[in-house]
Amino acid sequence: MSAFSSAFRLRRIAISALLLASCALGGCSSIDRLSQIGEQPKLSAIENPTAQPGYKPVQMPMPKPEVASYNPNSLWRNGSRAFFKDQRARQVGDLLTVTVNITDKANIENDTSRSRTNKEDSGITDFIGAKTLGTQAQKVLPGRILTADSTSSSEGKGSVDRKEALQTNVAAVVTQVLPNGNLVVEGKQEIRVNFEIRELIVAGIVRPEDIQSDNTIDSTKIAQARIAYGGRGQIMDVQQPRYGQQVMDVLLPF
């Protein structure tokens, strides 16, 4: 009976240690959820973002500072934007909206078949009357020099059926102005829903003439366009093979 009591006591200690470890790893979120049963979710208090842990000031490319100069008897200063001019992106640090509209469809099917049969037979049937000299001479004298057969065949089939559609908007910033006046833009957007983050990255080169009056540009007018749409989180982690399986897929030759 004492042995049974000791085993039961050890089991309770192990369970308690496991619960404590789970609470420590999970941040005791279960206790917080239990304390909020029957109550409405509380809104977060408005706080100073710069006082939050891990806050870092945003550093973006900015245009070179220009010295303001004024004309005599004029209310306007040189270099300022006109009152009736479209507020389009034109210099480093300006923002513009990229309309991502991708509709891609591809259907490719290939079928290849190849077959070849070769046969080589070269030799001497009767070398200097070898047949009349007996079996011992035939073992020494040459008979068939070469006899070879080869057969090869290959068959390959491949097909591609791809459909992609993406429609969204993302704000990009001008990071560089090229000597010919074209603008290098780059934008990144992150959206977190529960424990999943969706990322959208757009980069490329645009012409100022292609920017619309509302300061937007279509993704089809971006040269050297780099558009990436993906995510990371719990769902993406489940969809991906484990690291060990990926390593074996690379190393195994079969």
Side-chain angles (χ1 to χ4, degrees), residues 16 60 62-63 75 83 108 111 122 131-132 144 169 193 216 238 241 254:
S16 301
M60 299 294 293
M62 298 300 294
L75 299 177
F83 184 75
I108 303 173
D111 189 356
S122 176
K131 294 182 179 180
T132 61
R144 295 290 180 181
N169 297 330
V193 180
T216 62
V238 174
F254 306 105

Side-chain angles (χ1 to χ4, degrees), residues 89-150:
R90 62 181 180 87
Q91 61 182 359
V92 176
D94 290 347
L95 301 179
L96 75 158
T97 302
V98 178
T99 303
V100 181
N101 189 1
I102 299 176
T103 303
D104 189 9
K105 182 179 180 180
N107 190 356
I108 303 173
E109 184 174 355
N110 296 324
D111 189 356
T112 303
S113 179
R114 185 180 63 178
S115 177
R116 183 176 61 183
T117 301
N118 296 327
K119 184 177 181 180
E120 298 291 340
D121 191 355
S122 176
I124 302 174
T125 59
D126 190 1
F127 183 78
I128 315 177
K131 294 182 179 180
T132 61
L133 299 178
T135 58
Q136 298 297 330
Q138 292 179 6
K139 294 180 180 180
V140 179
L141 297 176
R144 295 290 180 181
I145 298 177
L146 175 62
T147 300
D149 295 331
S150 66

